[in-house]
């Protein structure tokens, strides 16, 4: 037994790290950070104050919200950071790639049961977008209404949602791979009103899953729900953390069907402290106030900003595989 | 910026040894992204050194282990927040697609060990160093290495035992829970 576990452990460690490589820009990032630190130390020595060191090392001068500095300072910090983020999002001309993983926790006879929600991969550029979902590991996705699994054993491409070019025209497209169906819709019908309950709910889901995602985030940051809560390093990048929480009433029909009344949406954006563009987004929703017991879904999306090359832009379009059957709406899929 | 290690030497070092160092860093931290952060932090320490080292690879490796054993990034409050809702920080996209089996469970258990125990386990069973070599690497006594390895391995064995138990074993994580949920959902439909 002992030898078995040691051998399994070795094998597990080997397998889990088999595909790891050092990122190409790691050394350059390390050199930049060391240089910044050296500059900060020199500035502090020149001014003779420790305070300058602290501010300069953080690099984003004026952003550091320290505990005990008072609500006024934090409000100013939040306003400053959010303005910078909104400006960066407005000026950004990138293909955006998002990779989201999620979990869902449901209450089953008083027990909390958590399942993995599979991988969501998405691309967005201007009005174009493509989101693909892979099934979870254990049983694919629960099919609406029946509760059955699409399949068992391993993760598979499950659906694609976004835009396609058909007859030279950009149109909405929704493809389900497990039953070989697709539907088309005019563009813009899923336009969300900023700060509306529906838009708030979208913040609690995976990110980069829509056209004009930067414009959506820019608008949502103007809803006065977000505050700067600190700093974190994500994938070697210094980030400023912006968090918020909103409480949304469920629509009457939906509330009746899920036997809950309200949903609490939490979101956190990790924005690069140098460019102010988001590099990670976290969103969750939690139902409460009814008899069913809370259902919590949570997503972490890693966001990359890529140059708008032809190859990258091509990834923002859904393609319909040959032989698939067209149906009139996603509800029939 | 001029490196004390000489022009191009760090690039060569990362080209030759980077992958091994990256794998070790990921094992020590429990995820690819934290591993990248840890390795970058070690590189920064190397870059900040004013004088040339005879064995920069050895220095990097030792720094990785020492930073990890010191509980590097323990302060990540946002990470604890994620843990509360059960969204473990993924070790990258591949992790999301990995099969749930005992190997996965062992890696998850490894992530839950205290930093020093994890460092000892990685040194003993990944790098296959002796107890004396491990103690030297971490700057602690052989006795500390022995007890940390024993406790860490004990948790792995408990996990392996419970995994091999029939239905209802307490440590199977979401697998049993999900099976229960599927049955209940199917029963209702």
């Amino acid at each position: 037994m002992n030898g078995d576990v040691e051998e399994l452990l070795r094998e597990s460690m080997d397998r889990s790290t088999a595909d790891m490589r050092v990122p190409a820009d790691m050394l350059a990032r390390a050199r930049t950070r060391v240089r910044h630190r050296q500059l900060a130390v020199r500035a502090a020595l020149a001014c003779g104050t420790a305070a300058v060191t602290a501010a300069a090392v953080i690099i984003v001068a004026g952003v550091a919200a320290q505990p005990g500095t008072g609500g006024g300072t934090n409000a100013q910090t939040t306003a400053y950071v959010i303005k910078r983020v909104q400006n960066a999002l407005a000026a950004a001309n990138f293909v955006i790639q998002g990779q989201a993983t999620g979990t869902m926790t449901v209450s089953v006879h008083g027990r909390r049961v958590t399942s993995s929600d599979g991988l969501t991969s998405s691309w967005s550029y201007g009005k174009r977008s493509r989101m693909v979902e892979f099934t979870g590991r254990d049983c694919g996705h629960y099919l609406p209404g029946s509760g059955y699994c699409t399949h068992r054993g391993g993760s598979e491409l499950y659906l694609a949602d976004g835009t396609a070019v058909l007859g030279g025209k950009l149109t909405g497209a929704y493809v389900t791979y497990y039953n070989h169906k697709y539907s088309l819709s005019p563009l813009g019908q899923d336009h969300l009103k900023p700060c509306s309950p529906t838009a708030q709910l979208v913040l609690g889901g995976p990110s980069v899953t829509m056209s004009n995602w930067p414009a959506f985030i820019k608008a949502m940051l103007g809803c006065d729900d977000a505050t700067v809560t600190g700093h974190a390093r994500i994938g070697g990048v210094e980030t400023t953390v912006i968090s918020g929480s909103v409480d949304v009433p469920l629509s009457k029909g939906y509330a009746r069907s899920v036997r809950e009344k309200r949903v609490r949406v939490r979101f956190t954006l990790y924005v690069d402290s140098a460019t102010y563009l988001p590099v990670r987004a976290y969103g969750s929703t939690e139902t409460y106030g009814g008899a069913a017991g809370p259902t919590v879904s949570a997503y972490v999306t890693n966001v990359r900003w890529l140059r708008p090359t032809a190859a990258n832009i091509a990834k923002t379009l859904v393609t319909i595989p040959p032989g698939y059957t067209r149906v009139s709406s996603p509800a029939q899929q | 910026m001029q490196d004390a290690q000489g022009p191009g030497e760090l690039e060569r070092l990362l080209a030759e040894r980077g992958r091994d160092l990256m794998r070790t860093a990921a094992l020590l931290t429990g995820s690819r992204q934290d591993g990248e952060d840890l390795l970058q932090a070690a590189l920064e320490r190397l870059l900040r050194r004013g004088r040339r080292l005879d064995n920069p690879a050895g220095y990097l490796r030792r720094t990785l282990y020492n930073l990890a054993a010191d509980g590097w990034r323990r302060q990540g409050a946002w990470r604890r927040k994620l843990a509360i809702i059960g969204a473990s920080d993924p070790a990258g996209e591949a992790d999301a697609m990995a099969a749930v089996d005992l190997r996965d469970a062992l890696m998850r258990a490894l992530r839950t060990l205290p930093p020093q125990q994890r460092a000892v386990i990685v040194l003993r069973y990944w790098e296959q160093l002796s107890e004396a070599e491990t103690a030297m690497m971490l700057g602690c006594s052989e006795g500390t290495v022995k007890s940390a390895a024993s406790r860490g391995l004990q948790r792995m064995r408990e996990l392996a035992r419970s995994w091999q138990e029939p239905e209802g074993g307490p440590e199977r994580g979401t697998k049993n829970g999900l099976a229960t949920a599927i049955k209940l959902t199917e029963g209702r439909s």
Side-chain angles (χ1 to χ4, degrees), chain B residues 156-179:
Chain B
M156 302 288 169
R157 285 189 196 115
E158 282 163 12
L159 183 80
R161 264 199 297 274
S162 68
W163 191 265
Q164 286 155 1
E165 279 170 7
E167 285 284 304
E171 294 288 339
R172 283 188 140 188
T174 60
K175 203 175 177 183
N176 268 354
L178 195 62

Side-chain angles (χ1 to χ4, degrees), chain A:
Chain A
M1 175 72 182
N2 293 357
D4 287 351
V5 170
E6 287 163 26
E7 188 50 44
L8 256 178
L9 188 57
R10 247 191 299 276
E11 195 186 315
S12 309
M13 291 196 270
D14 188 48
R15 187 187 283 204
S16 72
T17 58
D19 65 339
M20 295 209 177
R21 301 277 183 282
V22 179
D25 61 345
M26 181 184 280
L27 190 53
R29 282 202 313 247
R31 283 189 173 122
T32 304
R33 281 178 49 81
V34 171
R35 198 162 49 232
H36 279 152
R37 186 183 288 265
Q38 286 170 344
L39 286 172
V41 170
R42 276 182 212 143
L45 289 173
C47 299
T49 62
V52 172
T53 312
V57 166
I58 289 165
I59 296 171
V60 190
V63 175
Q66 300 296 336
T69 52
T73 307
N74 193 43
Q76 283 170 16
T77 302
T78 293
Y80 171 85
V81 171
I82 284 180
K83 191 71 203 157
R84 297 293 297 264
V85 175
Q86 288 177 317
N87 289 344
L89 288 168
N93 178 31
F94 294 100
V95 169
I96 311 159
Q97 185 197 11
Q99 291 272 6
T101 47
T103 56
M104 179 171 279
T105 304
V106 295
S107 303
V108 182
H109 295 285
R111 278 186 59 209
R112 307 266 282 166
V113 178
T114 300
S115 62
S116 166
D117 206 23
L119 177 76
T120 300
S121 182
S122 48
W123 298 77
S124 173
Y125 181 62
K127 286 183 181 175
R128 300 166 179 229
S129 71
R130 178 173 67 99
M131 177 195 80
V132 291
E133 272 189 13
F134 293 84
T135 62
R137 299 159 179 160
D138 300 270
C139 96
H141 276 251
Y142 298 119
L143 294 178
S146 71
Y148 290 117
C149 304
T150 51
H151 66 274
R152 291 177 198 274
S155 182
E156 285 183 4
L157 185 58
Y158 171 63
L159 66 82
D161 188 14
T163 56
V165 174
L166 293 172
K169 203 175 149 195
L170 200 62
T171 183
Y174 184 77
V175 180
T176 42
Y177 293 94
Y178 65 91
N179 60 4
H180 293 203
K181 289 182 180 174
Y182 74 99
S183 59
L184 302 175
S185 57
L187 273 188
Q189 67 175 24
D190 60 349
H191 184 71
L192 293 166
K193 190 177 164 200
C195 312
S196 66
T198 310
Q200 303 283 17
L201 285 173
V202 169
L203 269 189
S207 293
V208 202
T209 56
M210 61 175 73
S211 307
N212 294 320
W213 184 72
F216 170 72
I217 294 297
K218 177 175 178 282
M220 295 305 287
L221 286 174
C223 301
D224 288 336
D225 303 317
T227 51
V228 168
T229 51
H231 297 270
R233 276 181 81 193
I234 307 283
V237 176
E238 290 290 337
T239 67
T240 303
V241 185
I242 303 170
S243 301
S245 169
V246 283
D247 195 78
V248 178
L250 292 172
S251 68
K252 277 186 184 168
Y254 189 64
R256 224 179 1 253
S257 76
V258 300
R259 295 188 297 136
E260 289 286 3
K261 290 181 179 165
R262 305 184 70 83
V263 61
R264 190 170 290 113
V265 179
R266 295 185 177 89
F267 63 90
T268 303
L269 277 182
Y270 300 88
V271 301
D272 186 320
S273 297
T275 65
Y276 289 95
L277 291 173
V279 295
R280 180 174 287 178
Y282 160 81
S284 73
T285 56
E286 179 178 13
T287 61
Y288 72 97
T295 295
V296 183
S297 70
Y299 294 90
V300 179
T301 308
N302 289 317
V303 182
R304 293 173 68 204
W305 300 78
L306 308 169
R307 284 190 303 130
T309 60
N312 284 337
I313 291 172
K315 289 172 187 164
T316 63
L317 288 175
V318 173
T319 52
I320 317 281
Y324 275 39
T325 307
R326 182 175 172 181
V327 294
S328 60
S329 76
Q332 295 179 319
Q333 291 177 249

Side-chain angles (χ1 to χ4, degrees), chain B residues 7-23:
Chain B
E9 190 168 336
L10 284 183
E11 280 81 358
R12 273 198 300 281
L13 169 66
L14 283 187
E16 288 166 12
R17 303 290 305 278
R19 183 166 178 255
D20 286 345
L21 291 165
M22 183 62 225
R23 294 177 81 179

